[in-house]
Amino acid sequence: QVQLVESGGGLVQAGGSLRLSCAASGRTLRNYAMGWFRRAPGKERALVARITLSGGSVYYADSVKGRFTISRDNAKNTMYLQMNSLKPEDTAVYYCAAATSPMGVGRGEYDYWGQGTQVTVSS
């Protein structure tokens, strides 16, 4: 079992910054990669960024490249998403997720999910 808890969401003005955190607990040794997803109003959930927990290989959606930075602290079993230059279109519920295999990551299949944290960016 792995449990994920997000924190750090909130309301900010356009151009502002937030840092999201995802704390993992349980049998975290099986985790291969962790990622941040978001679901904007009226849209499907989409991958924002992901990071492998060993090599630190990262991926970013085109919409957030240059603005968001994903990182992890393996000793603390915590993943972060630093979000800068926020735009109203970044408004969404952000979810932390963990995958236990590279095949799953390649397929976009993640095994564990957090409850989500709301990020709202005002104009």
Side-chain angles (χ1 to χ4, degrees), residues 5-108:
V5 179
E6 303 97 334
S7 62
L11 283 71
V12 298
Q13 294 182 344
S17 298
L18 285 174
R19 189 178 78 157
L20 305 183
S21 298
C22 173
S25 61
R27 297 195 62 183
T28 60
L29 293 179
R30 287 181 54 84
N31 291 343
Y32 169 76
M34 297 181 69
W36 290 99
F37 292 76
R38 68 186 182 188
R39 181 157 55 197
K43 297 185 179 297
E44 292 294 317
R45 184 176 61 198
L47 178 65
V48 176
R50 70 110 178 96
I51 186 168
T52 60
L53 300 181
S54 57
S57 177
V58 299
Y59 164 86
Y60 296 99
D62 287 343
S63 59
V64 306
K65 285 181 180 177
R67 300 188 297 120
F68 291 10
T69 302
I70 189 171
S71 62
R72 86 280 196 246
D73 185 337
N74 289 345
K76 296 181 178 180
N77 290 317
T78 302
M79 177 181 65
Y80 307 95
L81 185 68
Q82 179 66 46
M83 305 185 295
N84 298 327
S85 301
L86 284 163
K87 304 175 180 179
E89 50 263 46
D90 295 318
T91 295
V93 177
Y94 284 71
Y95 297 90
C96 173
T100 59
S101 73
M103 294 294 292
V105 172
R107 300 189 187 102

